[in-house]
Amino acid sequence: MENIKKMYHELEEQLKFVHLEIEDSIKNAEVSIEIILNALNKLKSQVIKYKFKNEQEEIHFFKEEKPLFLSKLIYFNTIYKIEIRKPHGSDTSKRKYIAQELDKLKQFFDSNLDFYRYYRTGSTYLDHKYFLKNKYDIKLSLDTFYFQSDQRFTTSHDYKVAKILANDLLQVYLEGQLTFIDKKENNPKDQQHLPKTKLSWTESKTSLIELIYGLHAQKVFDNGKADIKAIADYFE
């Protein structure tokens, strides 16, 4: 399956476009989830028809490739749930809520510490049990949903890898929320100074997004080190 990298690259590009096009976090998550589900369905249809050349290829797919797609789904689905439940009250209540969400990430880490160590250290000695279809070991703390999942597209631990990757992104997201609250409290009057001359963008929003992508591709900011989100935020 040589086109998986291309599929994932296309997925990332679509998600970046949605991020720039839709500012509302909840709507952004909804649209992103639909895009990811579509990509995962395409990936699943290919895998079901494909016969892996050997165990190493199968392990690589379920350990390194499928989790990239699945982690995006877990991430945006969690963001959706976080945002619709977020309190609209004081910054204190919001900070408490975000702290509770961060604590959930820690709870998952504590509950899966052994596998965290195995995965983070690049270990491979249990890959034949973790990442091959229909070769699970009941003694290795399996999630209940695994037994009800489609065994043609699932191994006992590919979801856990995806969860780890998603939690990394969620931690960054939640800590960013806390930083925003702290900054607002510490600098309540801190506002961006705009030039006296007002300029209005009169082309479509899509044209502006294409411009931002073009500048990112040309690596014109910070010697090419600036990511697409930073450039978009700068234009805002």
Side-chain angles (χ1 to χ4, degrees):
M1 293 184 292
E2 298 177 354
N3 64 338
I4 291 180
K5 287 185 178 179
K6 181 180 178 182
M7 288 177 62
Y8 184 68
H9 176 73
E10 290 175 350
L11 173 61
E12 282 196 311
E13 290 299 309
Q14 288 179 293
L15 295 176
K16 287 177 182 177
F17 187 85
V18 171
H19 175 76
L20 294 173
E21 185 71 18
I22 304 175
E23 296 179 4
D24 181 76
S25 298
I26 295 176
K27 185 62 178 177
N28 185 305
E30 288 179 347
V31 175
S32 296
I33 288 170
E34 290 298 322
I35 292 172
I36 298 165
L37 284 173
N38 185 49
L40 273 169
N41 286 334
K42 289 180 180 178
L43 185 64
K44 179 179 178 179
S45 64
Q46 287 192 23
V47 171
I48 290 175
K49 298 174 184 177
Y50 182 77
K51 183 176 181 180
F52 290 101
K53 298 175 183 177
N54 48 50
E55 289 188 348
Q56 287 70 32
E57 186 184 35
E58 184 174 338
I59 288 171
H60 177 75
F61 173 76
F62 285 106
K63 186 177 183 180
E64 306 292 342
E65 296 179 319
K66 180 190 171 184
L68 292 176
F69 292 80
L70 187 55
S71 66
K72 298 291 187 183
L73 179 61
I74 297 170
Y75 171 74
F76 281 105
N77 188 46
T78 306
I79 291 294
Y80 178 80
K81 290 187 287 187
I82 287 173
E83 290 298 329
I84 61 175
R85 297 171 183 167
K86 183 185 291 184
H88 295 286
S90 65
D91 287 340
T92 300
S93 63
K94 292 177 182 178
R95 184 184 287 104
K96 181 180 178 181
Y97 174 76
I98 295 170
Q100 291 172 343
E101 293 300 319
L102 282 167
D103 189 55
K104 291 179 183 179
L105 302 185
K106 185 178 183 302
Q107 290 174 15
F108 179 83
F109 170 81
D110 292 340
S111 300
N112 296 276
L113 185 56
D114 289 340
F115 184 72
Y116 256 97
R117 289 172 176 167
Y118 178 87
Y119 178 72
R120 291 300 193 194
T121 57
S123 300
T124 59
Y125 61 92
L126 287 175
D127 281 1
H128 63 289
K129 291 188 177 182
Y130 287 149
F131 304 110
L132 289 177
K133 293 180 293 182
N134 300 311
K135 291 196 177 181
Y136 64 88
D137 188 338
I138 194 67
K139 298 176 182 178
L140 295 176
S141 302
L142 304 185
D143 294 316
T144 303
F145 84 90
Y146 166 71
F147 299 103
Q148 298 178 320
S149 60
D150 190 337
Q151 304 294 305
R152 299 171 300 172
F153 188 58
T154 308
T155 65
S156 65
H157 282 68
D158 63 74
Y159 180 86
K160 273 191 168 64
V161 173
K163 183 73 172 175
I164 289 173
L165 298 177
N167 282 0
D168 288 344
L169 298 174
L170 287 167
Q171 183 173 349
V172 172
Y173 178 84
L174 292 169
E175 289 177 349
Q177 297 273 303
L178 288 177
T179 299
F180 177 78
I181 293 173
D182 292 339
K183 184 177 179 181
K184 186 173 65 172
E185 287 184 343
N186 294 331
N187 302 285
K189 296 182 179 180
D190 184 23
Q191 296 181 353
Q192 183 180 8
H193 295 288
L194 298 176
K196 294 181 179 179
T197 302
K198 182 179 179 180
L199 297 177
S200 299
W201 180 264
T202 54
E203 276 290 336
S204 66
K205 193 172 184 179
T206 300
S207 297
L208 178 57
I209 292 171
E210 290 174 351
L211 173 61
I212 293 172
Y213 268 104
L215 292 170
H216 178 256
Q218 292 297 318
K219 302 183 185 299
V220 299
F221 292 104
D222 297 337
N223 296 315
K225 296 179 181 179
D227 61 25
I228 191 72
K229 184 179 184 302
I231 298 173
D233 291 342
Y234 188 82
F235 267 77
E236 285 185 5

